[in-house]
C-alpha cells in the first residue's frame, strides 16, 4: 500500500500544481454563474437600433391602434404602396394592410428594406391579431367589453408540496424550476467529469507507456498497484476540485446573494422556508420566491454537493478503470478511438436519457437508468434535485461502487498485459483473451 500511496501522491501533485487546475477551479463557479446570468444579459444588450415602419392602412382599423416601443416605431403614411416602396427607403420597411383585412387576415404585406427577423415579424403580426380580435368582439355589442375581459383574466400560481414527505402545514413548497435547472446542470457536469478525467487517465498511461517509464516502475511495483494508484490519484484531484467549487459557490452565494436580492425578496424566501403561505409575501412571484428559498437553503445545497461528490468519485472510478485499460492496450491516442467507443457510448446514452428523465423523474425509465452503474452517475444526479427517496440513492451508490471493484479486477488483467505490448493495436477479441489469462 505504501507504493500505491506514493503513486497517488505523485499523480495528485503533478496535476494540482498546474496553472490550468488553479485557473479552472477558480473560474468554473464564475462560469456557472455567468451561464445563468448570460441569457438575461444577452436579451438586454441584444436590442438593435430603433426601426421605423411606414404603415399604409386601407382598412382604417389597424394603423391607429398599433403601439410603438423602443424597438419598433409605426408611422402611418398616405401614399400608394408602390410609391412608398420607391421613396421611403430610409425606413426599415413598409407595412401594407388590405381593405378587407377583417375578413381576409392574409391581406397583410410587409416590404422590408433590409433583413427582417422572426422576432420583429412576430411582434407585428401579434399586434395586428389582437387589434382584429378586438374589432370582431365589438360586433357583439357588449358594453364595457374590454373592462370585462380585464376583470375576467386570471393568473394562477400554484405551490407544490410533497405530501409523501410531510403532511405538516409548515412544510416548505418545492420548486420544479430549480429542480429542472439543477437537474440539467448536474447531469451535464457529471457527463463532463467522466469524459475529461477518464480521458486524463488514459492519456497519462499512453504517455508513460511510450516513454517506457512503466517498464521501470513495474520492476518495483505490481501493475495492479500502479493502475490503482493512478486512478485514485486523479480521483483525488477531482474530489478536491468539487470540494473547492462547493466552498466557493456556497461562500460566494451566501455572502453575495442576500445583498443582490431586494429585501422583500429575501424576506419572502425566508417566509417560504419557514412554511408560510406565499400569498403572505405580497405581490412577488411565488415561483421566484421558491427558487430563491431553495438556493439559499444550506441544508438543500449541502445535500446536493455531498451527492455530487459521491457520484463524481464513484462514476470516475468506474470509467477511469476502463480508460486505463484502453490506454495500456494502445501506443497512441489515435489507436485508442476504436477501443474507446464502447466506453463513451454509455456516457452519451446517459446524457440522452437525462433529457427525458427531467420531464418525469419518477418514471420507470428514470429509475432504471439511475440504478444501472454505467448510466447512474449522470441520470441520478439529474433526479436528486427532485427530492427522490434516499433508498434509491443508496442503492444506486452501492451498485456503482460494487461495479467499480469488479471493473478494476477486469481492467487490471488487461493492464498488466497491455503495458508491455508495443507496435500492435489489439482487437476486442484479443482484449477478452487477455482477461481470461491466468497469472
Amino acid at each position: 500500500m505504501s507504493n500505491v500511496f506514493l503513486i497517488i501522491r505523485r499523480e495528485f501533485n503533478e496535476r494540482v500544481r498546474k496553472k490550468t487546475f488553479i485557473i479552472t477551479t477558480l473560474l468554473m463557479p464564475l462560469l456557472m454563474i455567468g451561464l445563468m446570468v448570460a441569457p438575461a444579459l444577452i436579451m438586454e444588450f441584444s436590442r438593435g437600433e430603433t426601426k421605423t415602419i411606414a404603415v399604409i392602412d386601407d382598412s382604417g382599423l389597424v394603423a391607429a391602434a398599433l403601439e410603438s416601443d423602443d424597438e419598433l416605431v409605426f408611422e402611418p403614411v398616405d401614399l400608394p404602396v408602390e410609391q412608398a416602396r420607391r421613396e421611403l427607403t430610409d425606413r426599415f420597411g413598409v407595412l401594407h394592410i388590405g381593405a378587407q383585412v377583417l375578413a381576409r387576415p392574409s391581406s397583410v404585406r410587409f416590404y422590408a428594406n433590409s433583413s427582417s427577423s422572426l422576432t420583429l415579424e412576430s411582434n407585428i403580426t401579434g399586434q395586428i391579431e389582437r387589434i382584429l380580435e378586438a374589432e370582431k368582439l365589438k360586433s357583439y355589442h357588449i358594453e364595457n367589453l374590454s373592462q370585462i375581459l380585464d376583470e375576467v383574466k386570471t393568473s394562477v400560481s400554484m405551490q407544490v408540496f410533497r405530501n409523501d414527505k410531510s403532511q405538516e402545514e409548515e412544510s416548505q413548497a418545492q420548486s420544479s424550476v430549480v429542480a429542472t435547472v439543477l437537474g440539467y446542470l448536474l447531469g451535464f457536469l457529471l457527463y463532463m467529469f467522466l469524459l475529461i478525467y477518464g480521458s486524463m487517465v488514459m492519456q497519462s498511461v499512453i504517455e508513460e507507456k511510450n516513454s517506457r517509464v512503466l517498464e521501470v516502475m513495474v520492476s518495483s511495483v505490481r501493475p495492479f498497484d500502479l493502475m490503482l494508484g493512478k486512478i485514485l490519484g486523479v480521483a483525488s484531484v477531482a474530489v478536491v476540485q468539487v470540494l473547492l467549487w462547493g466552498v466557493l459557490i456556497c461562500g460566494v452565494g451566501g455572502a453575495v446573494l442576500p445583498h443582490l436580492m431586494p429585501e422583500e425578496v429575501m424576506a419572502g424566501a425566508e417566509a417560504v422556508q419557514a412554511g408560510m403561505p406565499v400569498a403572505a409575501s405580497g405581490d412577488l412571484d411565488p415561483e421566484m420566491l421558491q427558487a430563491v428559498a431553495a438556493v439559499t437553503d444550506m441544508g438543500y445545497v449541502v445535500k446536493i454537493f455531498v451527492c455530487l461528490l459521491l457520484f463524481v468519485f464513484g462514476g470516475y472510478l468506474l470509467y477511469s478503470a476502463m480508460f486505463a485499460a484502453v490506454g495500456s492496450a494502445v501506443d497512441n491516442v489515435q489507436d485508442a478511438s476504436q477501443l474507446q467507443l464502447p466506453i463513451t457510448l454509455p456516457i452519451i446514452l446517459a446524457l440522452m436519457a437525462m433529457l427525458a428523465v427531467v420531464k418525469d423523474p419518477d418514471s420507470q425509465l428514470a429509475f432504471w437508468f439511475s440504478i444501472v452503474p454505467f448510466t447512474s452517475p449522470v441520470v441520478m444526479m439529474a433526479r436528486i434535485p427532485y427530492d427522490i427517496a434516499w433508498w434509491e440513492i443508496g442503492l444506486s451508490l452501492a451498485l456503482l461502487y460494487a461495479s467499480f471493484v469488479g471493473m478494476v479486477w477486469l481492467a487490471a488483467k488487461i493492464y498488466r498485459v497491455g503495458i508491455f505490448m508495443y507496435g500492435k493495436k489489439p482487437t476486442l477479441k484479443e482484449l477478452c483473451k487477455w482477461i481470461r489469462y491466468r497469472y
Side-chain angles (χ1 to χ4, degrees), residues 15-26 197 237-238 240-241 244:
R15 286 164 176 79
V16 170
R17 292 176 179 176
K18 289 182 178 179
K19 292 181 179 179
T20 53
F21 173 83
I22 299 173
I23 293 173
T24 54
T25 302
L26 294 176
Y197 282 97
V237 176
V240 168
Q241 199 161 41
L244 290 175

Side-chain angles (χ1 to χ4, degrees), residues 201-210 214 227 321-340 343 410-432 434-435:
V201 172
M202 182 184 70
Q203 291 171 1
S204 176
V205 173
I206 293 174
E207 291 172 2
E208 292 178 356
K209 182 179 177 180
N210 289 333
L214 290 177
M227 184 189 73
M322 294 186 283
F323 276 111
V326 169
S328 67
V330 297
D331 295 333
N332 53 68
V333 178
Q334 289 75 20
D335 291 341
S337 58
Q338 181 181 356
L339 299 177
Q340 194 178 347
I343 303 175
L410 289 175
K413 285 181 164 291
I414 299 175
Y415 187 85
R416 67 179 66 189
V417 178
I419 56 176
F420 299 111
M421 300 289 289
Y422 295 96
K424 179 184 178 183
K425 182 175 67 174
T427 62
L428 291 175
K429 183 178 180 180
E430 289 175 321
L431 293 180
C432 295
W434 293 359
I435 294 174

Side-chain angles (χ1 to χ4, degrees), residues 8-62:
I8 292 174
R9 187 172 65 181
R10 182 253 180 188
E11 294 290 336
F12 180 81
N13 290 334
E14 181 184 2
R15 286 164 176 79
V16 170
R17 292 176 179 176
K18 289 182 178 179
K19 292 181 179 179
T20 53
F21 173 83
I22 299 173
I23 293 173
T24 54
T25 302
L26 294 176
L27 291 183
M28 183 59 74
L30 298 178
L31 179 62
M32 293 178 66
I33 295 173
L35 288 175
M36 291 185 285
V37 177
L41 294 177
I42 291 173
M43 292 298 295
E44 180 66 26
F45 293 103
S46 63
R47 296 177 180 176
E49 297 180 354
T50 302
K51 299 176 176 60
T52 302
I53 296 176
V55 182
I56 302 174
D57 185 8
D58 294 338
S59 68
L61 301 174
V62 178

Side-chain angles (χ1 to χ4, degrees), residues 7 25 144 159 197 260 434:
I7 298 169
T25 302
N144 301 324
Q159 299 179 62
Y197 282 97
L260 294 178
W434 293 359

Side-chain angles (χ1 to χ4, degrees), residues 155-172:
S155 178
V156 177
S157 59
M158 182 174 66
Q159 299 179 62
V160 180
F161 296 86
R162 289 290 298 272
N163 196 46
D164 58 335
K165 298 292 182 180
S166 174
Q167 297 184 359
E168 300 294 333
E169 289 294 332
E170 63 272 11
S171 61
Q172 182 177 334

Side-chain angles (χ1 to χ4, degrees), residues 138-392:
K138 289 180 181 178
S139 64
Y140 290 92
H141 304 291
I142 302 175
E143 294 184 5
N144 301 324
L145 180 59
S146 59
Q147 180 182 350
I148 294 172
L149 291 175
D150 290 338
E151 293 176 354
V152 170
K153 187 177 180 180
T154 305
S155 178
V156 177
S157 59
M158 182 174 66
Q159 299 179 62
V160 180
F161 296 86
R162 289 290 298 272
N163 196 46
D164 58 335
K165 298 292 182 180
S166 174
Q167 297 184 359
E168 300 294 333
E169 289 294 332
E170 63 272 11
S171 61
Q172 182 177 334
Q174 305 293 315
S175 174
S176 58
V177 173
V178 173
T180 302
V181 173
L182 270 180
Y184 276 117
L185 288 178
L186 294 174
F188 275 109
L189 190 62
L190 262 294
Y191 170 78
M192 291 188 298
F193 257 103
L194 296 182
L195 285 181
I196 292 173
Y197 282 97
S199 300
M200 191 182 296
V201 172
M202 182 184 70
Q203 291 171 1
S204 176
V205 173
I206 293 174
E207 291 172 2
E208 292 178 356
K209 182 179 177 180
N210 289 333
S211 63
R212 302 297 175 97
V213 172
L214 290 177
E215 294 182 1
V216 178
M217 296 181 67
V218 295
S219 63
S220 57
V221 62
R222 294 184 304 166
F224 176 81
D225 295 339
L226 179 61
M227 184 189 73
L228 189 63
K230 188 175 292 292
I231 291 172
L232 294 177
V234 180
S236 61
V237 176
V239 169
V240 168
Q241 199 161 41
V242 172
L243 286 174
L244 290 175
W245 287 349
V247 171
L248 286 173
I249 292 174
C250 292
V252 172
V256 176
L257 190 61
H259 298 287
L260 294 178
M261 291 290 179
E263 292 184 4
E264 60 271 16
V265 173
M266 292 305 300
E270 292 174 1
V272 172
Q273 290 177 353
M276 294 176 60
V278 176
S281 302
D283 297 328
L284 298 174
D285 183 13
E287 192 66 45
M288 180 190 68
L289 290 179
Q290 292 174 17
V292 175
V295 298
T296 55
D297 184 353
M298 291 307 298
Y300 182 79
V301 174
V302 169
K303 170 191 170 183
I304 293 295
F305 271 107
V306 169
C307 292
L308 176 64
L309 195 62
L310 291 173
F311 279 100
V312 162
F313 189 68
Y316 161 78
L317 292 178
L318 177 66
Y319 276 96
S320 60
M322 294 186 283
F323 276 111
V326 169
S328 67
V330 297
D331 295 333
N332 53 68
V333 178
Q334 289 75 20
D335 291 341
S337 58
Q338 181 181 356
L339 299 177
Q340 194 178 347
L341 183 61
I343 303 175
T344 56
L345 277 179
I347 305 178
I348 297 172
L349 179 62
L351 184 66
M352 295 172 61
M354 180 200 73
L355 301 178
V357 161
V358 292
K359 295 181 180 178
D360 186 3
D362 291 324
S363 65
Q364 289 294 315
L365 175 72
F367 175 79
W368 288 110
F369 269 94
S370 62
I371 295 298
V372 176
F374 293 100
T375 57
S376 62
V378 174
V379 179
M380 183 57 82
M381 281 311 304
R383 292 184 66 205
I384 285 176
Y386 291 91
D387 199 16
I388 63 173
W390 278 106
W391 70 266
E392 294 185 26

